[in-house]
Amino acid sequence: MSARTVLHQADIARALTRISHEILESNRGSASLVVLGIPTRGATLARRIGGILAGIDPELGSDTVGTLDVTMYRDDLSRNPLRASSPTQLPAGGIDGKTVVLVDDVLYSGRTIRAALDALSDLGRPRAVRLAVLVDRGHRELPIRADFVGKNLPTSSDERIYVRLDEVDGEEFVSVASGEDAHGAHGAPGAPGTPGTHGAPTPGSGARP
Amino acid sequence: MRHLLSTRNLSRDDAVRILDIAEDMADVATREVKKLPTLRGRTVVNLFFEDSTRTRISFEAAAKRLSADVINFSAKGSSVSKGESLKDTAQTLEAMGADGVVVRHPSSGAPQTLAQSGWIDAGIVNAGDGTHEHPTQALLDAFTIRRRMHGSAARGRDLDGVSVVIVGDILHSRVARSNVWLLTTLGASVTLVAPPTLFPVGMGTWPADVRYDLDAAIDDVRPDVVMMLRIQAERMRAAFFPNSREYARVWGLDDARTARLAPGSIVMHPGPMNRGLEISAAAADSTRSTVREQVANGVSVRMAVLYLLLAGGGEV
């Protein structure tokens, strides 16, 4: 059984547009809004959402999108091969008193978001924190829930989700592969353990959130 | 990375990766909460068999910013023979549960012995061993050069095309050795300038030009970076130059030489400085001088190294 594409480019674009409208609706406009993406692909999605928000609401400030690196806050550092960190870039206005929308590509165990919440609290005190994800695949290990979801994708935990975005990968889709195919993907782009792959633990390396 | 003992075996990708992580660590210093939880529950031992102020407190600050527990172990004055004392100390630290050991030792190769002997399971960082290497100093120098050259666009860059002149006590300088390997790995060209008495033997294999005339080197090389080394009087047991006034006149970076440097070039010194000997006060305090940046960057670079050695569960 080969990898099954669940979202094509147009589906991703529609999902992001809908998420953007929902963000504005729940925030009652664009006042005090900050969109922070979690590298790598969450940061790309955050920039796209920022662009869509600016198109919908011209009153949105120009400096509302940033990135939030959570590498140093992870609880699985000692269980996995080491990751290089990415820059954290906040909008000039900071996050104090703002409504921060965290953006990630896949919501799985919830541990990345837990790390992001810790990182945020070291950077300031937002008025509220919301979570937007392109795909929610279930299997939460922490009491965390997304406010804005592109697609709910019920999966089995030995399946693997591949998110590919044009700016990062030169191609764009979201696909699901079964556990066996995922193991067959070793060495290929998106092999288990590389960023952008969200799936079953590689044997011996512990669970990757 | 399991240990950091030398810059000689670092690849260009490894080195750029360390510098990039150090950039992210430097951002932490600008935040309100200057602390990361990354090494919570890990113990770092600063094992210093030799005097040091800035390197030890730099490592201490780096470890504390990553939430590690720090134990400072000053072994100065130990009269036990070197092999035995190092072994006993290592086994003591092992029993205390050290995850990382930052070691400075007057004998070249002591950190390597710790890393390879099996006495201790911790990650070893060489913080200066004899006249051998001082890898974190070279990394912070490379970081400082890269930041001055490329500013906020420094991430991912190497030092291709940068010309560096290192002047002074090459013979006793572990800083010079680590910098020769690291800077050339990163693509810079290195010229060493010193009196003939302060060059070691067997430099033929070093990837660096050797010159004896500082004025000629400044005019011919047109260096982007001039790095002045400290005259290590405490290691000198012979007359290497007639007197300090002559050294300062011929090989010191005085005001006239500083004025002849190309615009935009920088002056570095690993500290502590002998003002008036290898560097004039005006040169040390000029806008070209990166001395204080080097100290600040040292913390960021050492955070990156401790992160790479102690946070992970395996190789990338």
Side-chain angles (χ1 to χ4, degrees), chain A residues 11 18 24 31-32 42-43 74 85 87-89 121-122 125 133 135 142 144 146 153 172 183-184 193 198 205 208:
Chain A
D11 302 322
R18 179 173 52 74
L24 288 177
S32 306
R74 303 194 77 95
S85 52
T88 289
Q89 282 158 343
S121 68
D122 279 358
R125 186 180 184 279
V133 295
V135 173
L142 295 169
I144 281 169
L153 206 57
E172 183 143 331
H183 289 299
H198 296 260
S205 73
R208 184 193 176 283

Side-chain angles (χ1 to χ4, degrees), chain B residues 252-289:
Chain B
L253 188 65
D254 57 19
D255 300 355
R257 291 192 178 108
T258 309
R260 290 212 330 269
L261 295 175
S265 58
I266 61 177
V267 173
M268 310 182 78
H269 194 297
M273 292 185 281
N274 295 313
R275 284 172 187 255
L277 180 53
E278 68 263 2
I279 190 166
S280 73
D285 298 330
S286 72
T287 53
R288 295 178 190 281
S289 165

Side-chain angles (χ1 to χ4, degrees), chain A residues 9-76:
Chain A
Q9 186 154 22
D11 302 322
I12 294 173
R14 271 195 296 274
L16 293 180
T17 306
R18 179 173 52 74
I19 287 173
S20 303
H21 280 284
E22 287 174 1
I23 289 171
L24 288 177
E25 188 183 5
S26 79
N27 193 52
R28 297 165 203 274
S30 62
S32 306
L33 204 56
V34 168
V35 183
L36 293 182
I38 298 171
T40 309
R41 288 168 185 77
T44 305
L45 294 172
R47 279 191 287 277
R48 289 197 199 172
I49 289 174
I52 298 170
L53 289 174
I56 303 169
D57 188 346
E59 288 175 22
L60 184 79
S62 57
D63 195 12
T64 55
V65 179
T67 57
L68 179 69
D69 184 60
V70 305
T71 310
M72 300 293 156
Y73 292 85
R74 303 194 77 95
D75 60 3
D76 59 352

